Amino acid sequence: MIVILLIFLCAPWLVLSNTSEEEIGEFFKSGHTNNWAVLVDTSRFWFNYRHVANVLSIYRSVKRLGIPDSHIILMVADDMACNPRNPRPATVFNNANQHINVYGDDVEVDYRGYEVTVENFIRVLTGRLPPSTPRSKHLLSDERSNILVYMTGHGGDGFLKFQDAEEVSNVELADAFEQMWQKRRYHELFFMVDTCQAQSMFQRFYSPNILAVASSHVGEDSLSHHVDPALGVYVIDRYTFYALEFLEKAKPGSKKTMGQFLKVCPKYQCISTVAVRTDLFQRDPNQVLLTDFFGSVRNVEILLNTLALPNITLTSDTCSKSSCGNEEVSSRSLKYADQFPMPV
Amino acid sequence: MGLLTDPKQRQKIILAITKYNQLLCVLCYVGGFLWFLALAYQPLNASTYFSENALLPGLVDYQFYADSDVISYNDQLTAEMKKSDKKVPKDWIFRKFQDLGLDTYYHNFSLNYPFGMPKDKSIPGQNIYAILRAKRAASTEAVVMSVPLRLPSVTSDEQTSGGIAVMLALAKHFRKQTYWAKDILFVLTEYDEIGMQAWLDGYHQTRSEYIHSENLPATSGSIQAAINLEIPSEKFHSYNLKLEGLNGQLPNLDLSNLLVRICGKEQAKVTLNKRSDAPNLDEFEGFQHSLITMLHMMWNQASGTPTGNHGLFHRYHIEALTLQGVKETRTRRSFGVENTARLVEGVFRSLNNLLERFHQSFFFYILPSTRRYVSIGLYMPPFGVMIAASLIKISF
């Protein structure tokens, strides 16, 4: 009788400890602790209105799902809202019914106008900015950051045009991502590109943990979606339009997966074929949450019991003053190498 | 050894050409001429397309709904012109522009006519122009809308007062909009091309030999394009595009394509040299029709005189053409000043999108129809062959 009572009393403890271990497992499943987004629009001029609308729409989605402005680097190559040709000044719309002003009052553009250059883009990614750069223009990611990189503009086979005068090649981009990997600047990276022949931009990637999606194959053009007859320009591109449709249904606690996102915009909707690259990505995209890249979900679990976490920090290689006081401690002080090689 | 480096072979060729000199010359000449004529045949020439991506022609909806405005201006102007037969109602026009709130100015010039009776006597003239400043842009660029002022006594075919009404109504409409990236200059010139040249001289501070023009009291930025309107006050049936300028220079093909596209959107009939497109371009009748259109254009170019005020802009690297309203007897669908106003509004909305001067499309071309063109790359080889005939004659 007492044994049965004891068992009844202990059972919850047993069950709880099992679930807490599971919970710990769940808690640390994704492996990342913070989210960053680098959103780039590379084209200027009034007739490229749709590229600015593309990037601002993704910006809005990403912000809505939780990534704060301090963790978003937004690069917009031209000021459509204040362009004299804009019949609705101070607004940028991504839809012909003009419901959502994606520019709004609270947009924070980090790189604007002529600051959007290939050099600045690569410097942002690799972190080699001069120390005088304002903090909001740095990508301060670490080895536990999941980064979303979205690029839109005019592109071709192996390159993406920046502002009519220069271009970034796919080789350069792959090398920049490899630099990021070697400097431990990302945990996982999701690369989205919406240009013509976009697949060529991710064909050269060789760094691990990159998941990439492009709006068209090599040899295909990505098409714009519709025209706003009141403005007189095309307002959004097809792939981004359908991607936004998908994202609009997601909420911060959404259980939608990246696998579902990669299937967005089949050929009959996009007319171009969406290309995906998953071979560099360690996890199965169907098990990865959408908010792992698009949102910034802070995992908060309230437990009623204390957990014993395994000791994963110190190993036997370290010693305290008492245990290895007779060993010579190196007198040379160590410091990090200058990221931006300044002349001595 | 090669055909041309071997002296023996070369000698053979020279002998052959000398022997058949006459025949070769005639063949070359006739062959080149026939090849050139054949270019009007549809499979041999190309379809027009837009090279300038920035234009976005016809994408934006019309916003000009003030048909009543333009019709009332038209009626008022017709009434004013009836008052005096020998004088253009300049003061009335000046006051109307001023009432709209635009910066309006008179521009005086004089002409020393070198021929005829009044030698050493300078004839005075006066242009009117108004500047609509773009509200949100620096006045670095401008587009021009011009109308030649003609006396009330000219024939109704030559009458241009409808264009003035269109100008006034559009000035009123344009003034309320905030989306202009360029200034708009409304120019009314006296004595047609002479006044236009005087105005251009004053604007760009160049000098002409027989026209003395004072400097303009106010100017704007560099002019990107100009549309000249010759629209009568009564209803007409088609729009005639006049492209040929001074010394045969032509505007950029994109400007012509733009007008054709916007007219198409308004479902208006467009003609070149008062000839519309043949419906059956790939048959012999269509070919004949296109050929005659093409030859008309070349004839106009060969004369060297501009076919309208627009021809004087080309020397300043300003693309310009004339839109003329033409009455026909057999067509039923008619257009008036209100259609023209909508059309010109669409053209100006498109010109507003320009970032640079027209430079993408062709400057040398001949048009067999409004939607087909023969570029210089296509018509130079037949001419080359014709000239080869004379080369063979003189060298062998």
Side-chain angles (χ1 to χ4, degrees):
Chain A
M1 177 71 175
I2 302 168
V3 174
I4 299 168
L5 265 172
L6 272 172
I7 291 170
F8 271 135
L9 279 170
C10 291
W13 287 99
L14 287 168
V15 171
L16 264 174
S17 61
N18 273 348
T19 52
S20 43
E21 269 176 30
E22 276 172 22
E23 277 164 3
I24 303 169
E26 285 281 324
F27 199 76
F28 291 113
K29 203 162 98 161
S30 59
H32 74 282
T33 57
N34 55 70
N35 286 84
W36 285 81
V38 179
L39 310 172
V40 183
D41 153 58
T42 59
S43 27
R44 52 170 44 233
F45 306 138
W46 176 243
F47 60 94
N48 290 322
Y49 185 97
R50 62 190 189 282
H51 296 141
V52 174
N54 282 355
V55 79
L56 286 175
S57 317
I58 299 282
Y59 169 77
R60 289 283 162 208
S61 294
V62 143
K63 226 165 117 159
R64 187 174 46 85
L65 290 173
I67 304 185
D69 274 311
S70 54
H71 282 224
I72 304 178
I73 307 276
L74 180 61
M75 303 172 89
V76 179
D78 198 4
D79 192 2
M80 291 304 162
C82 298
N83 193 315
R85 296 169 183 80
N86 194 344
R88 311 264 183 276
T91 60
V92 172
F93 294 108
N94 65 355
N95 208 314
N97 49 25
Q98 294 179 6
H99 279 165
I100 323 162
N101 171 14
V102 287
Y103 198 67
D105 292 335
D106 57 343
V107 65
E108 282 185 25
V109 182
D110 300 300
Y111 287 83
R112 61 180 61 95
Y114 287 109
E115 290 170 359
V116 178
T117 58
V118 177
E119 184 190 343
N120 279 348
F121 176 60
I122 303 287
R123 280 190 188 280
V124 160
L125 286 181
T126 54
R128 299 157 96 112
L129 288 162
S132 56
T133 322
R135 197 182 168 77
S136 60
K137 286 185 166 178
H138 284 270
L139 177 66
L140 299 164
S141 56
D142 54 38
E143 60 188 14
R144 292 254 164 242
S145 307
N146 273 11
I147 307 184
L148 164 72
V149 179
Y150 174 81
M151 300 183 76
T152 181
H154 287 289
D157 192 359
F159 67 92
L160 206 152
K161 187 171 85 156
F162 265 70
Q163 295 226 31
D164 244 23
E166 46 178 12
E167 51 197 42
V168 67
S169 66
N170 51 359
V171 176
E172 202 172 350
L173 191 59
D175 286 341
F177 284 159
E178 175 64 12
Q179 277 190 55
M180 286 174 82
W181 175 251
Q182 290 191 7
K183 286 162 74 163
R184 303 274 181 271
R185 281 170 69 78
Y186 71 90
H187 171 63
E188 278 167 351
L189 201 144
F190 181 53
F191 180 68
M192 235 173 113
V193 56
D194 189 350
T195 67
C196 299
Q197 306 197 47
Q199 187 196 27
S200 63
M201 285 313 289
F202 65 59
Q203 275 174 338
R204 297 299 196 110
F205 289 171
Y206 55 98
S207 320
N209 289 357
I210 300 183
L211 184 63
V213 69
S215 58
S216 57
H217 272 123
V218 171
E220 283 180 346
D221 282 341
S222 287
L223 302 168
S224 50
H225 193 256
H226 64 271
V227 105
D228 182 350
L231 296 176
V233 278
Y234 287 97
V235 287
I236 191 114
D237 280 333
R238 279 185 177 261
Y239 179 70
T240 308
F241 179 81
Y242 290 109
L244 286 172
E245 245 186 19
F246 183 88
L247 288 172
E248 264 158 31
K249 300 194 193 95
K251 286 201 269 279
S254 163
K255 293 287 168 223
K256 287 190 197 282
T257 64
M258 287 305 292
Q260 290 170 329
F261 184 75
L262 294 176
K263 292 200 187 62
V264 141
C265 212
K267 196 165 166 99
Y268 71 89
Q269 275 180 334
C270 254
I271 302 176
S272 56
T273 327
V274 171
V276 171
R277 186 156 179 194
T278 51
D279 59 316
L280 294 166
F281 198 62
Q282 318 277 21
R283 301 192 278 160
D284 176 18
N286 293 315
Q287 311 291 330
V288 179
L289 287 178
L290 185 72
T291 49
D292 274 2
F293 290 108
F294 281 92
S296 187
V297 180
R298 296 274 184 267
N299 266 340
V300 177
E301 299 267 1
I302 300 177
L303 296 172
L304 296 172
N305 52 332
T306 45
L307 293 173
L309 291 171
N311 195 346
I312 54 170
T313 49
L314 299 175
T315 64
S316 56
D317 282 340
T318 59
C319 52
S320 61
K321 211 167 175 183
S322 51
S323 58
C324 40
N326 49 354
E327 270 193 40
E328 270 180 30
V329 179
S330 172
S331 57
R332 185 172 57 95
S333 64
L334 303 169
K335 60 183 175 81
Y336 283 108
D338 256 329
Q339 295 296 341
F340 189 64
M342 301 295 282
V344 178
Chain B
M1 285 227 251
L3 191 66
L4 291 172
T5 51
D6 187 4
K8 278 214 189 81
Q9 288 287 2
R10 214 169 32 199
Q11 203 59 25
K12 272 196 199 153
I13 296 172
I14 293 175
L15 277 173
I17 295 178
T18 322
K19 192 168 155 195
Y20 297 108
N21 195 332
Q22 212 47 17
L23 182 63
L24 264 177
C25 278
V26 172
L27 269 178
C28 273
Y29 191 83
V30 174
F33 185 68
L34 288 176
W35 181 3
F36 177 74
L37 291 182
L39 286 173
Y41 185 48
Q42 189 184 352
L44 291 176
N45 52 38
S47 196
T48 57
Y49 58 94
F50 280 95
S51 306
E52 176 67 71
N53 282 332
L55 274 174
L56 304 173
L59 232 56
V60 69
D61 272 348
Y62 294 130
Q63 285 174 342
F64 181 78
Y65 296 112
D67 287 12
S68 53
D69 268 344
V70 64
I71 293 174
S72 103
Y73 275 127
N74 197 19
D75 293 337
Q76 287 174 38
L77 184 56
T78 318
E80 276 293 320
M81 288 176 78
K82 280 208 178 70
K83 287 184 191 165
S84 157
D85 216 24
K86 297 284 177 207
K87 224 168 51 101
V88 183
K90 278 193 218 153
D91 292 324
W92 185 88
I93 298 171
F94 186 91
R95 244 182 316 112
K96 282 292 169 199
F97 270 112
Q98 249 189 352
D99 286 346
L100 288 172
L102 301 178
D103 307 334
T104 324
Y105 305 94
Y106 280 117
H107 171 234
N108 297 312
F109 64 95
S110 64
L111 170 71
N112 276 349
Y113 195 61
F115 310 119
M117 299 301 286
K119 231 176 195 164
D120 297 330
K121 186 181 168 192
S122 53
I123 306 166
Q126 203 177 45
N127 296 332
I128 308 169
Y129 72 102
I131 307 178
L132 193 155
R133 302 274 177 199
K135 288 198 176 78
R136 287 161 56 212
S139 301
T140 46
E141 292 169 349
V143 279
V144 167
M145 196 190 308
S146 70
V147 170
L149 290 170
R150 294 205 180 135
L151 293 175
S153 52
V154 300
T155 57
S156 69
D157 285 344
E158 303 279 319
Q159 197 51 264
T160 59
S161 56
I164 304 176
V166 166
M167 227 192 216
L168 283 166
L170 281 180
K172 189 171 171 188
H173 169 75
F174 285 169
R175 219 179 144 262
K176 296 186 212 140
Q177 312 305 327
T178 56
Y179 46 65
W180 296 112
K182 304 178 203 298
D183 287 353
I184 304 181
L185 301 166
F186 300 96
V187 182
L188 296 118
T189 59
E190 194 169 21
Y191 305 132
D192 277 31
E193 279 124 20
I194 298 171
M196 194 77 247
Q197 184 58 45
W199 188 83
L200 283 168
D201 276 342
Y203 196 91
H204 295 101
Q205 289 169 1
T206 52
R207 301 170 70 86
S208 289
E209 212 178 322
Y210 299 104
I211 303 173
H212 303 286
S213 91
E214 62 170 22
N215 279 335
L216 294 185
T219 57
S220 179
S222 81
I223 303 176
Q224 308 288 89
I227 308 284
N228 188 40
L229 298 172
E230 291 176 6
I231 309 287
S233 50
E234 289 123 25
K235 295 262 186 201
F236 50 91
H237 302 97
S238 67
Y239 289 100
N240 188 31
L241 273 183
K242 295 203 276 193
L243 303 167
E244 305 84 358
L246 189 62
N247 297 328
Q249 199 171 352
L250 295 169
N252 198 294
L253 188 56
D254 266 342
L255 190 60
S256 159
N257 293 343
L258 176 66
L259 262 290
V260 169
R261 171 80 68 98
I262 305 275
C263 285
K265 200 175 165 202
E266 185 71 20
Q267 276 148 14
K269 185 170 155 194
V270 191
T271 60
L272 281 172
N273 301 115
K274 301 197 181 160
R275 300 169 61 82
S276 58
D277 293 357
N280 47 352
L281 282 174
D282 44 359
E283 292 166 28
F284 187 70
E285 276 174 27
F287 161 66
Q288 241 183 348
H289 190 91
S290 313
L291 178 63
I292 297 179
T293 311
M294 198 169 89
L295 292 174
H296 268 179
M297 181 167 169
M298 292 182 68
W299 182 259
N300 285 333
Q301 281 185 282
S303 70
T305 53
T307 41
N309 277 7
H310 64 281
L312 299 162
F313 283 92
H314 298 149
R315 285 196 297 174
Y316 298 91
H317 203 6
I318 301 168
E319 313 309 324
L321 46 68
T322 296
L323 194 64
Q324 185 190 27
V326 171
K327 290 199 192 88
E328 285 167 29
T329 44
R330 273 174 297 166
T331 40
R332 251 175 280 148
R333 175 126 193 258
S334 68
F335 304 97
V337 285
E338 61 276 12
N339 304 80
T340 316
R342 259 197 296 281
L343 218 146
V344 176
E345 191 227 348
V347 171
F348 271 72
R349 281 306 292 273
S350 198
L351 289 176
N352 189 35
N353 289 339
L354 278 179
L355 309 144
E356 312 161 286
R357 289 178 189 274
F358 281 101
H359 65 286
Q360 301 270 17
S361 191
F362 298 96
F363 288 101
F364 297 99
Y365 52 88
I366 37 182
L367 300 177
S369 77
T370 56
R371 294 186 193 272
R372 314 277 312 173
Y373 73 100
V374 177
S375 71
I376 189 167
L378 279 180
Y379 70 67
M380 266 313 177
F383 281 133
V385 168
M386 283 166 80
I387 291 171
S390 60
L391 275 177
I392 296 173
K393 195 81 180 168
I394 58 172
S395 29
F396 292 98

